[in-house]
Amino acid sequence: MRIAVVGGGPGGLYFASLMKQLDPAHEVTVWERNAPEDTFGFGVVFSDETLTGIAGADRAVLAEMERGFARWTDIDVDFHGHRFTVGGQGFAAMGRQELLRILQRRAAELGVRVHYRTPAPGVAELRAGHDLVLAADGVHSAVRAELAEAFRPSLDRRHNKYIWLGTDLVFEAFQFFVKQTQWGTMQIHGYPYSETGSTFIVEMHEEVWRRAGFDRADGREFGPGESDAYAVARIAEIFAEELKGHRIRTNRSRWLNFTTVRNERWFDGNVVLLGDAAHTAHFSIGSGTKLAMEDALALAACLHEQPSLDAALAAYEDERRPVVESTQRAAQASLEWFENIGMYAGQEPTRFVFNLLTRSRRITFENLKERDAEFAALVEGEFGARPGPAMFQPVRIGPLELNNRIIVSPMDMYSATDGLPGDFHLVHLGSKALGGAGLVMTEMVCVSPEGRITPGCAGLWTDGQREAWRRVTSFVHERSSAKIGLQLGHSGRKGSTRLMWDGIDRPLPDGNWEVIGPSALPYGPGCHLPREATRADLDRVVADFEAAARRGVDAGFDLIEVHAAHGYLLSSFLSPVANRRTDAYGGTLERRLRFPLEVFDAVRRAVPSRIPVTVRVSATDWLPDGTTEQDAEGIARAFVEHGAAAIDVSTGQVAADERPAYGRSYQTPFADRVRHRVAAPAGVPVIAVGAISSWDDVNSILLAGRADLCALGRPHLYDPQWTLHAAAEQDYRGEGAEWPLQWRAGRRRPPTSRTDRVPPRLALLRDGVPGTVHVRWTPDRRIGVTA
C-alpha cells in the first residue's frame, strides 16, 4: 500500500511504524508541519491496557518507553488545608518530547519517510496518489475540516479555561490542588513525568478566570513558541505555597478552552481519522496520546486482518468507536464536574475527595475498596449514623422516616381496567415492598379518565379505585417494613395512546378521548394534536388533583408525589418546547411555573402535614431550545418554596425528537446540581433516578453527596428482592434490610464456587494484599510503602 499520514505526532508516527513492521513493502510517508523537536505539553500518562497493547505490537518501542517512565500508585488531594493520599491506582508517565523522539527514531529505522516543517498536500492530491490517507493532524484537523460534509463533526467548546504548564517541582504522585481564592475555585492537575519535572495544569471556570484578571490577553495572538507571560507570573503568585519555591516551565502556554470533538463518521473513501482528529477526551480522565496510540494499534491490525480497505476501515471504526464513546462519556462527566467544582466547596473534606475520585463514574466505592480499603472505610464511616453501607442508612422525607435509601421507581404497568387496580398491582407492588426497598412508589396514577396515558392506566378519580388502592397499601403496611407512595399525574398531550406493547406513544385507533396541552403542539410526528387548555380546563385539572390527593390519603398512602416530569401535562407547561402560550401561563419561567404550582399547592392543601408531598421534575428536555440547567434550578427552588418535601430529579421524555446522552447513571449529574444549588441548603432531600443498576452505584452516589436517595425501576423488575439481595451480597444484616420472617432462612447468599480453597497467605503478604501499597515517584528512587 501507498500510505499518506498527515500529522507526525505520536498517533501518526506509531501507525506508520506499525504498518512498516507488518509489511516492509508498504510505502509510508508522513507530513509534519512542525520541526521534529517541537512539541506541545510536557508529560503523557498511559494505562496498563495501552501498555499491554504496545507490548504485543512493538516490544522495541515499549522497552524504550519503559526506560523513561515515572511510575506511581497514589493520588494526593489538597482541599481546604486537608491533605489526603489515596493509593492503589497505578500510573505510568513520560515526557511527551521523549516519547516523540522514541517514535521518530523507530520510524526512521523502519524506513518511514517523514517530511518535517512541511504542510501536507491537499486532500484531493493525497487521495489520488495514495491507497490510504490517515488524518492524524489533531484537534484542529485541516483534513477533517475539508471533508466536514462527509465526517459531520461536532465541536463542543467547554466553559473552563486551562493553561498547560510544567514545573521543576517533581511530584511524588498524581496531585490535585483545589484552592479557594477571592475570585473563586481554582484547581491544579499535576503529575510527574521524569526525574526532573512535572506537568502542572491550571484550570478554572471562565467566570473565575475573568474575575481574577486572566482575561488580560484575551483575543491576543501569540507568536510561535510564545507563552502568556502575565498569566504565568500571576499563577506563580497565587500558587506560591504549592510550588514551594520551584519555578514554572512554559511551552507555548496560553489559556485554552477544551473542545470535545466527535464525528458521525470516521472514514470517507480512503481517508480515515485517528486520535484528536476523530475524538477528544478531557485531560482530567485520560491522555489524547493514549487514545491516539490505541487507535493506531487497532487501525494497523484491521488493515492487516481484513480482505479489503473498506472492510478494514469499517472494522476499525466498529472496534474503536464503542471504546472511545465510553471514554468520552466518562470524560464528559469529569469535565462537567470540574466546571462545577465550586458547587462542592462546602463539602466535608473526606466526602469531597471521594466525590472527586468518582466524578467520572469509572471508579465506584467497591472499586475504591479494592484500591485503598483504609480510605474507603473512612468515607463510609463518616457517612452513616449506624454501621453498614450508605444505602442502608435511614433517611427522612419531611416527617416520613424510611429505613433505607432505596426507592422502587414509579413504573407504568398498563394493567388496570377503567382505572381500577387489581390483583396484578397488589402482587407487583407487594412483592417490591417485601423485597426490602425503603419506599415503593405506584405508577403514575391518573386524576381523571381524560388524564390517562392509555386505557390500561390506573386512576384515583372514584371511591371504588380508592378502596382498591387501600387493599394494596394495607398489604404493604402489614407485611413489610416499606412505606408506599402515590404518584399523581395527568397525561396531557401524551394521552389517549395505546398500551406500551401495542405501540408506545401511538394514538388509539378510534381517537377515544380528547387531549389537552399548554399549546396546540403534538408530542411528535403521528401523535395527537392537543387542544390548548382553557382556564376552565385548568380549573378542572386542579380540582381533579386535589380530589385524587384526598382519596390517596384515605387509601393509606404514606407519601404523595406530584408528577411534573416526562412531558405529561404539568411537565409540558414547564417546558418551552411544549409551552408557547402568550397568556399568564407561558413565556418566562415564572409564568410557565404558575399552573404546576397551582396544582402542587392544591395537593399540599388536601394532604395533612404528617404526609410529605414531593415532586418529580425533568431537569432537561435533551433539546437545544428546551429546559436549561438554570431553569431546572429555578423549577426546583419554586417547588421547595411551596413546600415540596423532596425533589425527584429525572430528565426528558418531553418531546419525541429528544437526544438523551444515555449511559450509566446518566441522569445523576442533574440531581447532583439540584441538590447542591437548591435542595441541600433548604434541608430538602433529592432523589436520583436513571440507569442506576447496581448497589455499588447507589452507594457511590450517596457517599459522594450527589443525591440523598436513589430510585431504581428496571432492576426491580429483573429482581423484586433487589434490595435484600444487595444486603446479602454486602454481608449486611441490620435494620436497613429487614427480611420477611417467612423468607429469613434464605438471607444467606447461596455459594457459587468452591469455599474450601486455602489462600497462599505468605504470597498474599508479599504482594501487599492485606494493606494498600503506596508507591511514590521521586527523582532518585521509587518508594513503596504498605499501609
Side-chain angles (χ1 to χ4, degrees), residues 11 106 334 380 611 680 721:
R106 187 62 169 154
S334 181
E380 190 172 65
I611 296 177
Q721 283 78 52

Side-chain angles (χ1 to χ4, degrees), residues 340-372:
N340 293 299
I341 194 171
M343 191 167 74
Y344 307 112
Q347 279 194 317
E348 291 296 318
T350 304
R351 176 174 280 196
F352 175 87
V353 174
F354 179 75
N355 194 356
L356 184 153
L357 292 173
T358 60
R359 66 194 181 276
S360 72
R361 304 192 285 275
R362 285 195 157 183
I363 294 178
T364 63
F365 181 67
E366 284 299 301
N367 184 253
L368 183 66
K369 281 171 69 174
E370 294 176 2
R371 296 165 185 249
D372 193 330

Side-chain angles (χ1 to χ4, degrees), residues 180 185 336-347 352 355 633 668-678 705-706:
Q180 305 303 322
T185 306
E336 288 178 2
W337 192 91
F338 279 110
E339 286 176 347
N340 293 299
I341 194 171
M343 191 167 74
Y344 307 112
Q347 279 194 317
F352 175 87
N355 194 356
E633 291 178 30
T668 301
F670 299 96
D672 188 5
R673 187 182 182 97
V674 168
R675 183 180 187 275
H676 280 90
R677 294 198 184 277
V678 179
R706 297 184 181 113

Side-chain angles (χ1 to χ4, degrees), residues 10 39-47 65 68-70 72 91-101 162-169 171 174 189-201 249-251 253 276 281-291 293 777:
T39 182
F40 296 95
F42 295 89
V44 293
V45 182
F46 293 98
S47 68
M65 291 171 64
F69 275 157
W72 70 96
F91 298 98
M94 66 185 304
R96 181 177 172 86
Q97 202 155 42
E98 178 59 24
L99 175 63
L100 272 177
R101 280 195 287 265
Y162 73 95
I163 185 168
W164 206 291
L165 302 165
T167 175
D168 59 0
L169 170 61
F171 295 127
F174 210 113
H189 308 250
Y191 57 87
Y193 63 83
S194 73
E195 296 182 346
T196 60
S198 301
T199 293
F200 193 79
I201 306 170
R249 294 170 172 168
T250 61
N251 181 358
S253 303
D276 285 354
H282 192 252
F283 53 81
S284 63
I285 196 63
S287 166
T289 301
K290 162 190 166 334
L291 288 174
M293 292 183 72
W777 173 256

Side-chain angles (χ1 to χ4, degrees), residues 33 242 271 274 430 624 633 636 658 698 771:
R33 62 187 309 140
E242 289 76 11
V271 180
L274 180 144
E633 291 178 30
E658 66 176 1
V698 170

Side-chain angles (χ1 to χ4, degrees), residues 533-540 542 581 585 594-595 598:
T534 65
R535 180 66 257 182
D537 293 323
L538 301 185
D539 290 341
R540 186 162 51 252
V542 171
R581 297 174 76 102
Y585 293 95
R594 185 167 295 173
F595 176 62
E598 286 180 10

Side-chain angles (χ1 to χ4, degrees), residues 427-725:
V427 174
H428 166 61
L429 294 170
S431 69
K432 305 305 179 290
L434 290 171
L439 175 65
V440 176
M441 292 298 300
T442 68
E443 62 194 85
M444 185 179 93
V445 175
C446 305
V447 297
S448 66
E450 301 79 20
R452 290 175 296 166
I453 309 165
T454 75
C457 289
L460 198 44
W461 64 82
T462 72
D463 292 345
Q465 293 162 351
R466 177 194 63 200
E467 295 309 307
W469 282 117
R470 194 196 304 275
R471 182 170 170 241
V472 176
T473 63
S474 296
F475 179 90
V476 171
H477 293 146
E478 292 167 11
R479 297 288 184 175
S480 79
S481 60
K483 305 299 183 184
I484 183 165
L486 166 69
Q487 187 187 69
L488 290 177
H490 187 295
S491 60
R493 67 180 186 165
K494 294 176 75 174
S496 192
T497 59
R498 306 180 194 198
L499 302 182
M500 180 180 67
W501 41 85
D502 290 334
I504 192 166
D505 296 325
R506 292 179 60 193
L508 291 166
D510 55 3
N512 217 299
W513 63 87
E514 183 183 43
V515 299
I516 60 171
S519 303
L521 297 169
Y523 172 70
C527 296
H528 288 296
L529 180 67
R531 176 173 59 78
E532 183 173 302
T534 65
R535 180 66 257 182
D537 293 323
L538 301 185
D539 290 341
R540 186 162 51 252
V541 170
V542 171
D544 288 340
F545 267 93
E546 186 171 1
R550 293 186 191 281
R551 289 192 177 95
V553 173
D554 293 342
F557 285 101
D558 302 300
L559 173 148
I560 294 177
E561 179 173 89
V562 173
H563 197 351
H566 297 172
Y568 299 119
L569 184 63
L570 303 188
S571 172
S572 59
F573 266 88
L574 292 170
S575 170
V577 169
N579 185 348
R580 305 287 175 80
R581 297 174 76 102
T582 57
D583 62 4
Y585 293 95
T588 64
L589 177 60
E590 182 182 11
R591 291 185 172 190
R592 301 198 309 272
L593 268 162
R594 185 167 295 173
F595 176 62
L597 289 174
E598 286 180 10
V599 170
F600 185 88
D601 290 344
V603 171
R604 183 65 273 181
R605 285 193 305 269
V607 175
S609 59
R610 61 183 171 82
I611 296 177
V613 178
T614 65
V615 63
R616 174 172 276 203
V617 298
S618 282
T620 179
D621 299 336
W622 298 112
L623 289 166
D625 299 322
T627 302
T628 66
E629 292 177 343
Q630 290 71 30
D631 287 345
E633 291 178 30
I635 290 166
R637 186 172 292 107
F639 280 111
V640 167
E641 290 171 353
H642 281 247
I647 307 295
D648 187 352
V649 183
S650 187
T651 66
Q653 301 179 53
V654 175
D657 58 344
E658 66 176 1
R659 300 191 68 181
Y662 289 119
R664 198 170 106 252
S665 306
Y666 72 104
Q667 297 182 124
T668 301
F670 299 96
D672 188 5
R673 187 182 182 97
V674 168
R675 183 180 187 275
H676 280 90
R677 294 198 184 277
V678 179
V684 172
V686 162
I687 302 164
V689 307
I692 302 169
S693 56
S694 73
W695 49 260
D696 188 16
D697 285 334
V698 170
N699 286 329
S700 300
I701 289 166
L702 298 174
L703 289 168
R706 297 184 181 113
D708 302 284
L709 304 97
C710 290
L712 296 86
R714 289 178 176 86
H716 283 112
L717 296 181
Y718 179 76
D719 179 3
Q721 283 78 52
W722 185 88
T723 306
L724 295 180
H725 291 163

